Amino acid sequence: MSKTRTVALPKDLYRQAIVESFKKLDPRVMMKNPVMFVVEVGFVITLLLTFFPSLFGGESKPLFNGVVTFILFVTILFANFAESLAEGRGKAQAQSLKKTKQETKARRLAKDGTTQMVHSTELRKGDIVIVETGELIPSDGEIIEGVASVDESAITGESAPVIKEAGGDFSSVTGGTRVVSDQIRIRITSDPGESFLDRMISLVEGAKRQKTPNEIALNTLLVSLTLIFLIVCTTLLPIAGFVNAAIPVATLIALLVCLIPTTIGGLLSAIGIAGMDRVTQFNVIAMSGKAVEASGDINTIILDKTGTITHGNRMAAEFVTVGRAKLEVLNRVAAQSSRYDETPEGRSVIELAKKQGLSGEALDLPGSEGVEFRAETRMSGTNLADGTLIRKGAVDAIKKYVSEQGGSIPADLETKANAIAVAGGTPLAVVEGKTILGLIYLKDTVKPGMRERFDELRRMGIRTVMCTGDNPLTAATIAKEAGVDDFVAEAKPEDKIALIRKEQAEGKLVAMTGDGTNDAPALAQADVGLAMNSGTVAAKEAANMVDLDSDPTKIIEVVAIGKQLLMTRGALTTFSIANDVAKYFAIIPAMFMLAIPQMSALNIMNLATPQSAILSALLFNAIIIPLLIPLAMKGVKYTPMSASKLLSRNLVVYGLGGILVPFIGIKLIDMILAAFRLV
């Protein structure tokens, strides 16, 4: 399972949130939340009525007005507190990240080959720096020379160092991480203030959080409801005058505040901020709230194979003899062919040979020299001191090499090589002199737990498609082993984009995970692009999410959080609107009971007095906001199930619950007020 980055909520965070709650009372800030801005306007009016009872004419009670003013003020503070707490949690995470970002020295390589010590802030894109064991990597970049173990715990929280090497998809390094071993040369890929860490800090602080389309639509609904209830409450004055019932302005304001969706209005922003925060806790950095929200509606996930579904490095899994060769001879020669091969593939060959009984003395080859792999020959190997040439390489390249040397090709070579390819592996032929001894079965193994994770996605109703450049036989084998729903073999970058566009043309939302430069166009095209932190800079720039743990199955958590965000918003909206029913039965009878005794029939809660009914409804309206803050921050629990079942469950829990809870809450508050003779 994926680990989470936990950020505690210290007392300082609560204190800061309280301070921010008062700062947000500024009308220029409140206007961004129209629902709560209406409440603030109501607060100002009742405050004036408290000190100037006859301001608007008619009968007015200063004490009652003062109590209503206080409750409205508390309601606004609670709503501001919810948003401030969500923002404060993001800022707390940003502070922990800022500890990682520190002023470091860097050895910058000049054009004449000399090095000079400079501050990390002086580095620019294109500069080349040298970093050795124990030193911090000064800024984001790509390794252009060398292999090293890098401790990324400051960024990912993972204590185990990772191997980074020049070339391929594992050359990207992040500023603030530490080199544990060896020396590397890095080409800087970001200017000061534009590094990955800088963007992480900015994003978790919420400085660039924009409202998502869904959030904007819901805001529009809330504003519309507020306008409707504002018109309704305004027309009550002439209606009341027609039946000779005097309605105090403070009572009308109390009715308006209780009927408009203040609960969801006060919590809406906090829900969005908390959604991005929950993604961050899973070590995923979302570049926008829109990406988190879109992940909740994903229909199809397209995954790159190498480095995503599989480990990415082909490892020696088996030695297969051909002709009359003996296995112990093949073990020795295969290991000797890899004596000077420092790639993960070469090291795995030696490790496999040792596991099968090869002694270390067999690799003691004085006077020998290594032959590096070349694209033209597609072979590498070792030249022994006695003149024996040992080579390993692609089967067709070795066959051509042996034929040119006058050697013979074993009859079973092609058959056994094809069998390895069908099984999803890569065959490398091994030759000593003119004799082909056998094959090295290289296998790009599927990461543990992939099948179970894809089963979980299937239960969510999400289709998984693997894209790979491998041949169809290899692709089919890996797809079957991993448990994906479909696969595309021999895929080029443009094929991945075409597949995404095809799915999107059918009205589906598509997620893509990848780590290589060739994945960048597809990551940019997808509705949700999740790049691996171990991948290239191009991939991370193109994606709208970056997984710091480089775990492709993390998309499951991202999808669950996206669904949770949408569910939380929908659930609290349902609860907020359902609340209005109970408040209606509390306040409307109270407003008209004195002038129209027959209205007492609507007082089904048997509330003590009209004033008690109004204050009880207002108090409940204020208290329910802080009570729902934990739910807004944590989110509604998501369990994979069909949309119809999910809707039915939420209607019962939050719809019916939203009607019943206020009846109980308002009645309890009324009983307390009556018991202490507060009204």
Side-chain angles (χ1 to χ4, degrees), residues 3 150-162 180 283 549:
K3 64 180 181 298
V150 179
D151 177 7
E152 296 186 327
S153 59
I155 303 294
T156 67
E158 178 60 61
S159 58
V162 293
V180 178
N283 271 8
D549 297 328

Side-chain angles (χ1 to χ4, degrees), residues 423-447:
T426 302
L428 288 185
V430 178
V431 57
E432 184 179 34
K434 300 178 183 179
T435 306
I436 298 178
L437 301 173
L439 300 162
I440 302 172
Y441 179 176
L442 294 178
K443 186 177 181 183
D444 189 2
T445 55
V446 173
K447 292 180 178 179

Side-chain angles (χ1 to χ4, degrees), residues 163-241:
I163 301 296
K164 298 283 187 174
E165 57 187 329
D169 292 339
F170 297 94
S171 60
S172 171
V173 290
T174 306
T177 56
R178 188 180 299 276
V179 173
V180 178
S181 67
D182 303 301
Q183 182 191 86
I184 49 176
R185 290 193 180 192
I186 301 170
R187 179 184 292 112
I188 302 300
T189 56
S190 65
D191 289 327
E194 299 176 359
S195 71
F196 182 59
L197 193 56
D198 287 314
R199 284 187 290 135
M200 281 172 62
I201 292 169
S202 175
L203 288 162
V204 298
E205 281 183 324
K208 296 183 180 178
R209 196 191 83 86
Q210 296 178 338
K211 289 183 178 179
T212 63
N214 184 284
E215 198 172 345
I216 292 170
L218 185 53
N219 254 321
T220 305
L221 172 65
L222 298 184
V223 171
S224 301
L225 288 174
T226 301
L227 285 173
I228 290 169
F229 285 122
L230 186 60
I231 293 168
V232 168
C233 291
T234 304
T235 56
L236 278 177
L237 269 177
I239 293 173

Side-chain angles (χ1 to χ4, degrees), residues 129-425:
V129 297
I130 300 173
V131 186
E132 295 183 343
T133 303
E135 295 179 346
L136 285 174
I137 293 173
S139 185
D140 292 359
E142 286 189 301
I143 300 174
I144 58 173
E145 185 180 315
V147 180
S149 295
V150 179
D151 177 7
E152 296 186 327
S153 59
I155 303 294
T156 67
E158 178 60 61
S159 58
V162 293
I163 301 296
K164 298 283 187 174
E165 57 187 329
D169 292 339
F170 297 94
S171 60
S172 171
V173 290
T174 306
T177 56
R178 188 180 299 276
V179 173
V180 178
S181 67
D182 303 301
Q183 182 191 86
I184 49 176
R185 290 193 180 192
I186 301 170
R187 179 184 292 112
I188 302 300
T189 56
S190 65
D191 289 327
E194 299 176 359
S195 71
F196 182 59
L197 193 56
D198 287 314
R199 284 187 290 135
M200 281 172 62
I201 292 169
S202 175
L203 288 162
V204 298
E205 281 183 324
K208 296 183 180 178
R209 196 191 83 86
Q210 296 178 338
K211 289 183 178 179
T212 63
N214 184 284
E215 198 172 345
I216 292 170
L218 185 53
N219 254 321
T220 305
L221 172 65
L222 298 184
V223 171
S224 301
L225 288 174
T226 301
L227 285 173
I228 290 169
F229 285 122
L230 186 60
I231 293 168
V232 168
C233 291
T234 304
T235 56
L236 278 177
L237 269 177
I239 293 173
F242 182 75
V243 297
N244 297 318
I247 302 177
V249 173
T251 302
L252 272 177
I253 291 172
L255 174 65
L256 175 62
V257 170
C258 284
L259 291 185
I260 63 177
T262 49
T263 306
I264 185 61
L267 296 172
L268 184 59
S269 183
I271 293 169
I273 296 169
M276 289 188 69
D277 172 66
R278 283 196 295 276
V279 172
T280 306
Q281 288 178 49
F282 277 94
N283 271 8
V284 174
I285 299 300
M287 303 304 177
S288 69
K290 184 179 178 181
V292 179
E293 190 174 281
S295 64
D297 288 326
I298 289 300
N299 306 107
T300 306
I301 294 179
I302 297 172
L303 305 104
D304 180 47
K305 187 206 79 168
T306 306
T308 304
I309 292 177
T310 62
H311 282 291
N313 291 325
R314 298 180 304 174
M315 311 294 280
E318 186 183 352
F319 295 132
V320 180
T321 58
V322 295
R324 298 182 179 179
K326 295 186 187 248
L327 185 58
E328 55 268 24
V329 175
L330 175 58
N331 286 356
R332 174 183 58 79
V333 176
Q336 289 175 341
S337 72
S338 303
R339 171 67 179 79
Y340 296 97
D341 186 350
E342 292 300 321
T343 65
E345 176 187 299
R347 291 194 292 268
S348 73
V349 172
I350 294 176
E351 288 173 12
L352 179 61
K354 287 181 177 179
K355 284 180 184 177
Q356 297 191 0
L358 184 74
S359 66
E361 295 176 359
L363 295 174
D364 186 13
L365 306 173
S368 62
E369 61 178 1
V371 177
E372 291 186 3
F373 176 84
R374 289 168 53 207
E376 307 89 74
T377 62
R378 292 194 296 156
M379 294 186 299
S380 64
T382 304
N383 294 338
L384 301 182
D386 61 4
T388 303
L389 305 182
I390 297 175
R391 297 288 184 271
K392 66 173 182 183
V395 174
D396 57 340
I398 293 294
K399 285 167 65 177
K400 180 181 177 183
Y401 171 79
V402 170
S403 297
E404 290 173 351
Q405 299 293 321
S408 60
I409 310 297
D412 56 350
L413 176 65
E414 198 69 32
T415 304
K416 291 186 176 181
N418 288 339
I420 291 173
V422 169

